[in-house]
Amino acid sequence: MVALLGSGLTAPAAFAAPPPPVAQGKNWITEPVAGGYRITLRLDAPAPLRDALPLLSVDGETIGVARQSADRRTVSLITKDPSVLRARDVRLVWSGEPAEGRKRSREGAGPTDSYWLKALRGPALAEDPATPGRYQVATSEYNLGDEAVYLPGLGHKSEVRGKVYTPRGAFGPRPLVVFLHGRHQVCYGDEDNPSEVPWPCGGKSKAVPSYRGYDGPAQALASHGYQVVSISANAINGWDSDAFDAGAQARAELVLHHLDLWRKWSTIGGGPFGSQYVGKVDLGNVGLMGHSRGGEGVARAAVLNTDRGGRYGIRAVLPLAPTDFARATVPGVAMSVLLPYCDGDVSDLQGQKFYDDTRYSVTGDSAPRSTVTVLGANHNFFNTEWTPGQSVAPSNDDWWGEEKTSPCGAKYAGRLTAKEQQAVGAAYIAGFFRLQLGHEAKFLPLFDGSDTRATSAGRAVVRVVAQAPAGDRRDVFRFDQALPAGAVSGSAKAAVCAGVRVPQAPAGVVRSRRPAADRGAGRQAAGPCVTNDDSSQSPHWVEAWFAARTPTTAVTKLTWTGKSGVVRIVVPAAQRDVRRYSALTFRAAPDPTSAARTDLSMRVVDGRGRAVSVPVSSLGDALVRLPGANDSGLPKNLLRTVRIPAASLKGIDLRDVRAIELRTDRASSGSVFVSDLAFSRPGLGWSGPARLLPRLSASDVKTQEGNSGVKNLDFWVSMSRPSIRPVTVYAETSGGEFGDVIGDVARQLVFKPGQTRQKVTVPIKANTRDGDDLPFNLVLSAPRDGLLADSFGSGLVLDDDPTPTVSFGSASVVEKNGFIEFPIRLSAPSDRYVSVSGLLKDGTAVIRKDYRSVYDDGSNPADRAFDGYLEPGQTTGVVQVQVVDDKVKEPTETFTATATTVDGATLTGPKTATGTIRDND
């Protein structure tokens, strides 16, 4: 225990023990550090390995992302918010979990829950993609060791292990599909003797075989002639808490390493398979499926492959319940994002942004993309090794409720069983790769937004949003910018919006999950779409952890107070002939603050003034609120497809479509979000490595801190080659542990045609105090007409100040004063937390009879430890030892305190100080 004195070292004649200078509880402590406060929480058991990032909650308010120790028993973060010094409760929480003190999933039924239990399930395809094909499937495994490859971006070696699914009797080279699991428990079986390192598994523990959990889709694909391999990523899961990007780069490197192996095995042979696969694998036709953090890993692998010259023909990527921490795009490659509505791990469905960010990221992109939302599906059950009753290691239902009333509770009628969910996964995973790699166009209706379904998906309610390839689509209006003058009339109003605002934030400040003092640092150009204290309800607008200031998806919020409202979009003369398209589509969702069910009319007008008006409600349920009762992250505010078949526009001239109108004639008032108005037709397009796109990279920089003023640290963001059109990318500082030394920068960079370099200047505030070297990142995100290469620029500010010295002195006190204080003095202020600790030793004074450690709880033997500490910026303090006032007359007595450990400074002078107790009886 320590008290800090502003001047001098003499204690008052009598005092009560002062409160500690930092907030602390039974298992947590808040310490001042340079420019902020470090909160450290010690856990009774290792934190679970989840795909979401761990968060710290202080008194029920989420402060930010926490960093885990290697053993996962300690989590900490640094914040600038001084209110944490008044903390009473600190907890580890996860995105989407109920706020502290709220019951979990016990709200009453939502207003549309009954509708979704009976929701339409579209026509079934004539052929089911998960039906076994004509080939028998042989399975085998390869294991090249637990530490077989060093992975850039991780700093550790990884296992190289995979399960192989081979179609027996298939001839010639076949497409290769690689599966990558997400972040899950690494080892099991010896929990009482945890290893000092997370990987490889130690003692009697065994590796969790997460890579064996995708037999359903793997068998379905292999039986139709596809080569499938599911790879293990336990090493990354064990070590990625220290990775700068939460392991996305390492996962991508692991995928590409396995592709390197298959290149060898399919050309010259060798390794565990000899010549078995020579000439049997087509590495020019590759698909990647990644579950959870594996989804971010395969998305990164597709881009990284392009950055490295497109060595492999990665043509299809399926992120399954993915994370998206850094707002990457995946242009040029066919993509379908599978989103489980009841995801209790990545509960904000942040993978939706892969679709949102990529859909217009490259001019003329010829690849199709879609999202597949599955109601009643959770995060874990797509993998049998993460499913109770099927897994060999302990597993769980990641959705937390057992209630019958929550639309995601385990006993709810609309919740899918594990086997039902796995059947849905097998159907859509197999269907996607058979469509994109095998060009089996019969499966296109599963992914074109027409709500056709696979029979094997059973009773699952699935909603698909699709963007056709550029050559099969004519964008009419994106609704991400203000409507032209005169476009809105009558009782309607329209405004562009983006983002979520928390209720307590100042008007116009978009919710941020960065440390509290940073909130509001990034603002959207438009106002927020919703006001809600749970941003996980809004996947389009939830912020990315490593790119929190990059603007989220902009849409138009249409509000009306009568039936006369009209939004009229005029079709340019050159685009009026739409005969080649099969449908008119847009995305829409009801405003959560308005009616749970609403309606509009879609009206199409030709050059002669003839019009066809169709109620949106007759085209599907996009304007019906999704299930849930504003609890536990539900309902989700998700834009869904409104699709008008061109065949239903009878009576108008499709060679001369002049205007498209949204009319409010179906409801007297309401509010909805709209986006992405386009004519389109289903198409496979073309997908593969986008080699022609310039690649964007951020440099690595470091500098000495300096002693005075503010200096500029310059990052260079460069493109691999000039572009004929403008290229944009967002850049922001990220890291969170640099206090006030490193300036906070967030901006959009625009590269003009021919320009290849831009400077991003970060101000560095100098000082003369000793401190730690400060690492941080410049993160690039959401590029347009470019690809992300080295998207995390590494910055390092090197401390150049000498380590101060600290002295430890003797002290005396009158017995009745209660405490004796040994002075500690620092030679100069420091940005470090300086501590002195050691042991007490009897002299003529005897422990517990005459004095005792402030940590002594009365158990045997007596605790002889002491410590004292100095906050950053302080130069004087004391070590306190309790004095026993025994009311017995006795001579002056002494004991000693010997410093054994000093952190943050160098001890000068004696290590041992004498404590003198003068009797007052």
Side-chain angles (χ1 to χ4, degrees):
M1 192 174 199
V2 64
L4 298 177
L5 306 179
S7 61
L9 293 173
T10 304
F15 62 96
V22 293
Q24 57 185 337
K26 179 181 178 181
N27 59 345
W28 59 271
I29 187 169
T30 299
E31 306 167 317
V33 294
Y37 307 90
R38 178 187 288 113
I39 307 172
T40 302
L41 174 67
R42 297 177 301 280
L43 305 172
D44 294 332
L49 273 174
R50 293 179 53 166
D51 293 275
L53 290 172
L55 312 173
L56 278 183
S57 168
V58 176
D59 296 334
E61 174 73 14
T62 300
I63 298 298
V65 175
R67 182 177 294 276
Q68 292 177 301
S69 60
D71 63 5
R72 308 196 323 276
R73 290 181 177 271
T74 301
V75 288
S76 64
L77 63 77
I78 290 179
T79 177
K80 297 178 182 178
D81 187 351
S83 68
V84 299
L85 291 175
R86 301 187 296 273
R88 300 180 302 278
D89 180 74
V90 176
R91 297 179 185 236
L92 172 67
V93 297
W94 304 89
S95 176
E97 286 191 345
E100 186 62 31
R102 292 180 64 184
K103 293 182 179 180
R104 294 185 168 200
S105 304
R106 294 187 184 277
E107 295 284 344
T112 62
D113 290 4
S114 60
Y115 168 84
W116 290 104
L117 286 174
K118 300 178 293 182
L120 294 176
R121 292 178 175 84
L125 283 177
E127 182 176 334
D128 192 290
T131 300
R134 62 192 181 98
Y135 297 104
Q136 295 294 313
V137 179
T139 61
S140 60
E141 293 195 10
Y142 58 93
N143 182 357
L144 306 186
D146 286 341
E147 295 180 292
V149 60
Y150 181 86
L151 296 178
L154 188 69
H156 295 274
K157 290 184 177 181
S158 170
E159 80 272 30
V160 174
R161 185 177 300 169
K163 183 172 183 178
V164 183
Y165 303 79
T166 301
R168 288 179 175 170
F171 294 96
R174 44 194 175 254
L176 174 65
V177 182
V178 179
F179 292 171
L180 175 64
H181 65 82
R183 193 172 193 261
H184 192 70
Q185 183 181 351
V186 172
C187 305
Y188 76 102
D190 196 12
E191 287 74 13
D192 294 333
N193 299 288
S195 173
E196 294 183 359
V197 296
W199 180 263
C201 299
K204 298 179 181 179
S205 63
K206 301 177 182 178
V208 176
S210 295
Y211 67 101
R212 294 175 180 163
Y214 303 105
D215 278 356
Q219 292 274 356
L221 282 166
S223 71
H224 286 276
Y226 292 77
Q227 187 68 48
V228 182
V229 58
S230 182
I231 65 176
S232 179
N234 279 336
I236 301 175
N237 290 343
W239 292 110
D240 67 359
S241 58
D242 288 330
F244 62 89
D245 62 353
Q249 178 79 10
R251 290 180 172 89
E253 297 281 4
L254 182 64
V255 169
L256 295 180
H257 179 74
H258 278 270
L259 290 180
D260 288 343
L261 292 175
W262 281 95
R263 183 184 183 92
K264 175 184 175 183
W265 296 337
S266 64
T267 52
I268 63 173
F273 300 116
S275 60
Q276 178 180 352
Y277 292 107
V278 173
K280 298 295 182 65
V281 179
D282 181 3
L283 288 168
N285 198 15
V286 175
L288 306 178
M289 185 282 284
H291 189 179
S292 206
R293 289 203 194 180
E296 194 168 17
V298 298
R300 178 64 181 149
V303 174
L304 194 62
N305 175 63
T306 301
D307 289 342
R308 296 175 180 176
R311 186 174 186 182
Y312 303 108
I314 297 175
R315 303 190 183 279
V317 172
L318 193 152
L320 168 60
T323 59
D324 179 11
F325 296 144
R327 299 288 298 278
T329 59
V330 193
V333 177
M335 177 173 64
S336 187
V337 184
L338 201 159
L339 301 172
Y341 190 75
C342 296
D343 194 321
D345 191 343
V346 187
S347 57
D348 55 15
L349 304 187
Q350 59 189 261
Q352 169 68 46
K353 292 197 291 296
F354 279 123
Y355 177 92
D356 289 343
D357 289 344
T358 305
R359 72 195 199 286
Y360 299 125
S361 68
V362 170
T363 304
D365 192 342
S366 61
R369 54 192 53 87
S370 60
T371 64
V372 178
T373 302
V374 183
L375 271 64
N378 74 352
H379 186 85
N380 284 353
F381 290 177
F382 290 106
N383 185 318
T384 57
E385 289 299 333
W386 297 1
T387 304
Q390 298 178 339
S391 61
V392 299
S395 57
N396 67 291
D397 179 354
D398 52 278
W399 193 268
W400 44 80
E402 290 292 337
E403 301 78 20
K404 295 181 179 180
T405 57
S406 166
C408 291
K411 298 180 181 179
Y412 186 69
R415 177 68 190 274
L416 301 178
T417 67
K419 290 186 177 180
E420 287 175 327
Q421 180 173 327
Q422 288 154 13
V424 175
Y428 281 88
I429 293 170
F432 175 70
F433 290 117
R434 290 179 65 183
L435 172 66
Q436 298 301 335
L437 303 183
H439 304 294
E440 297 184 65
K442 58 191 172 186
F443 298 124
L444 189 54
L446 276 182
F447 301 96
D448 66 3
S450 61
D451 281 334
T452 305
R453 65 185 176 89
T455 301
S456 60
R459 66 188 182 99
V461 176
V462 180
R463 292 294 180 262
V464 176
V465 172
Q467 185 189 46
D472 294 303
R473 187 182 82 247
R474 177 173 294 169
D475 296 322
V476 180
F477 195 74
R478 298 179 184 178
F479 287 108
D480 59 355
Q481 56 187 317
L483 287 155
V488 183
S489 61
S491 57
K493 294 182 179 180
V496 178
C497 68
V500 181
R501 182 177 64 205
V502 293
Q504 66 271 28
V509 178
V510 176
R511 175 178 175 86
S512 172
R513 296 181 296 180
R514 297 172 67 83
D518 290 337
R519 290 183 182 169
R523 296 170 183 262
Q524 301 278 5
C529 291
V530 295
T531 298
N532 196 329
D533 60 0
D534 187 354
S535 60
S536 68
Q537 287 186 231
S538 302
H540 301 285
W541 305 309
V542 69
E543 294 172 353
W545 290 111
F546 298 140
R549 274 77 58 84
T550 296
T552 52
T553 303
V555 300
T556 291
K557 184 175 183 177
L558 172 62
T559 305
W560 67 96
T561 55
K563 293 188 175 182
S564 63
V566 177
V567 174
R568 182 179 177 88
I569 306 298
V570 176
V571 180
Q575 299 180 5
R576 291 172 182 169
D577 187 347
V578 297
R579 288 174 296 172
R580 64 191 296 258
Y581 302 108
S582 60
L584 173 63
T585 64
F586 67 101
R587 291 198 295 169
D591 180 350
T593 64
S594 188
R597 301 181 69 161
T598 191
D599 202 2
L600 296 165
S601 288
M602 191 77 168
R603 187 168 182 263
V604 183
V605 185
D606 71 8
R608 295 187 180 182
R610 295 174 298 190
V612 173
S613 183
V614 182
V616 169
S617 59
S618 69
L619 302 168
D621 44 33
L623 295 183
V624 178
R625 188 180 303 171
L626 287 164
N630 287 318
D631 182 65
S632 303
L634 302 177
K636 301 298 183 190
N637 303 313
L638 278 171
L639 297 164
R640 284 156 278 149
T641 294
V642 177
R643 187 174 187 271
I644 306 175
S648 68
L649 299 176
K650 295 179 180 179
I652 66 171
D653 186 357
L654 294 180
R655 296 172 299 181
D656 188 24
V657 172
R658 296 296 181 93
I660 300 165
E661 298 174 347
L662 287 173
R663 290 180 167 256
T664 69
D665 55 354
R666 307 289 301 178
S668 58
S669 64
S671 181
V672 299
F673 304 112
V674 293
S675 179
D676 302 334
L677 179 65
F679 285 98
S680 65
R681 63 181 181 182
L684 283 173
W686 184 92
S687 64
R691 297 182 182 92
L692 299 180
L693 289 175
R695 302 185 299 277
L696 292 151
S697 296
S699 63
D700 297 333
V701 295
K702 62 181 178 181
T703 186
Q704 298 287 330
E705 175 188 72
N707 294 326
S708 63
V710 176
K711 65 188 303 184
N712 291 331
L713 182 60
D714 294 332
F715 286 88
W716 286 96
V717 178
S718 59
M719 292 206 307
S720 59
R721 64 167 181 81
S723 174
I724 61 173
R725 58 174 61 97
V727 175
T728 65
V729 69
Y730 289 90
E732 65 179 87
T733 50
S734 178
E737 298 190 1
F738 39 78
D740 292 330
V741 174
I742 299 171
D744 198 10
V745 174
R747 54 181 287 210
Q748 185 185 36
L749 306 179
V750 179
F751 290 83
K752 298 177 182 179
Q755 186 179 12
T756 59
R757 295 183 78 206
Q758 287 204 47
K759 183 169 63 176
V760 177
T761 298
V762 179
I764 307 298
K765 184 179 179 181
N767 67 40
T768 57
R769 298 201 296 264
D770 181 45
D772 295 320
D773 294 341
L774 300 177
F776 68 104
N777 294 306
L778 183 75
V779 181
L780 305 182
S781 60
R784 291 289 178 95
D785 286 312
L787 276 177
L788 295 179
D790 296 327
S791 58
F792 280 72
S794 173
L796 181 63
V797 178
L798 300 168
D799 182 77
D800 54 8
D801 302 306
T803 301
T805 60
V806 66
S807 60
F808 180 45
S810 298
S812 64
V813 72
V814 176
E815 184 181 81
K816 67 177 182 179
N817 285 353
F819 289 89
I820 184 171
E821 295 185 331
F822 295 90
I824 51 178
R825 184 184 296 275
L826 202 61
S827 62
S830 174
D831 280 341
R832 297 177 188 269
Y833 206 80
V834 178
S835 65
V836 178
S837 59
L839 296 172
L840 304 171
K841 183 178 181 181
D842 292 349
T844 54
V846 178
I847 197 162
R848 284 187 175 169
K849 176 177 177 294
D850 302 301
Y851 71 97
R852 62 194 302 158
S853 166
V854 294
Y855 300 112
D856 194 343
D857 61 3
S859 60
N860 290 316
D863 194 330
R864 293 182 174 273
F866 71 83
D867 64 34
Y869 40 83
L870 299 169
E871 295 181 14
Q874 298 287 337
T875 57
T876 59
V878 295
V879 169
Q880 285 190 332
V881 176
Q882 189 174 356
V883 174
V884 178
D885 188 2
D886 55 13
K887 309 302 181 184
V888 177
K889 185 173 180 60
E890 53 193 344
T892 297
E893 298 169 316
T894 62
F895 66 98
T896 57
T898 300
T900 57
T901 303
V902 176
D903 288 325
T906 302
L907 182 65
T908 61
K911 294 183 178 180
T912 300
T914 300
T916 301
I917 304 173
R918 302 194 305 274
D919 187 64
N920 65 303
D921 298 305

